[in-house]
Amino acid sequence: MTDSSDLARLRHIGWRDPALPDDPRRLARVVAQHRAGYEVHDGSVAFNAQPAGPFLKRGIDPSLRPAVGDFVFLDHASHPVIEAVLPRRSVLTRAAAGERYERQIIATNIDYVLVLTGLDGDFNPSRIERYLTLVEGSGAHPVVLLSKADTGVDVAAAIAALETRLPADAAVHAINAKDPATVGLLAAYLGPGMSAVLVGSSGAGKSTLTNTLLGEERMATGAVRTNDSRGRHTTTHRALLSLPTGGCLIDTPGMRELKLTGEENLDLFADIETLAAQCRFADCSHGNEPGCAIQAALASGELSPQRWRNYLKLHDEREEQAATLEARLKRKAAPKTSGKPRRGDWSRSED
């Protein structure tokens, strides 16, 4: 495909390259994944597609399968088959829930991760730090959105609480998800050719914000519980939507568990790493040792106890997940034995 009309058509679904691949197959983007297959969009129409056989092999790394946000090649059959996934420019992942280690892709080929949290019982700076830790290394930029700014809460105090825990260049916006003015506020992240994924807890207002950005009531919304400000899962699967602003938004179900993958750098806590390097002893445990820079920062107020505790929690979880990942990779790399005796290995019975 080299026609300029084809290129313009694919811009509507977030194609960023100045040219199209030199490949005769059909190019589309995955906009939803269901148990029965995928829904893809070629810039003009959405249609269903099935994954090719290699994607269905047992034991295949799930990250190799098509995911929402992927650009894919399909055949030209009447019942299209996804034959290949194009290289991803960014990937947001988390460790899947459960005891078995497995990475789960949240979205691919995104420019921004919009982290939405309510300024009610949902507000939790530690959870926001966890989100931003997951965004590190994804190739996308985080944007923190504080919803329900119209409910009489102390917005300035909430933003001040985040300023002590997030980098100075972190983008933080207080919004009313129902206000059309929000569209203009977020236009810088959702312009033509841009793609963003919207994440947050159930009840934070993701579906409400999505409807406002779409300019129509397309996504189901629900009330939240008064005791903890949590809501039901009105969004049941990830879906990529084209916005009137020209960008693409991937809406996601509420996330109750945000497990690290073990590959995070914890760049969000670079200041703590710098402090630790200033301790008198290289093996300082940051407890009662003399000359501990961490304890000095805690005593002076330079470092908040909440942020220190959350760093330790995320650091330990990262190390545990990294060890689990390493062990899993070693098991996969180990030579497999059939368990069956080879010819010549049978012991003869003596007469």
Side-chain angles (χ1 to χ4, degrees), residues 38 68 78 128 153 174 273 321 328 344:
Y38 294 88
V68 175
S78 56
I128 293 173
V153 296
E273 300 282 358
Q321 289 289 82
R328 180 174 181 266

Side-chain angles (χ1 to χ4, degrees), residues 35-49:
R35 290 184 178 180
Y38 294 88
E39 183 180 351
V40 300
H41 204 297
D42 65 1
S44 295
V45 295
F47 52 94
N48 295 325

Side-chain angles (χ1 to χ4, degrees), residues 54 130 168 214 218 221 223 228 230 234 259-260 275 293:
R130 178 176 286 269
L214 287 169
R218 193 186 308 181
T221 60
D228 60 3
R230 294 297 178 89
T234 53
K259 293 176 65 175
L260 303 187
L275 282 172

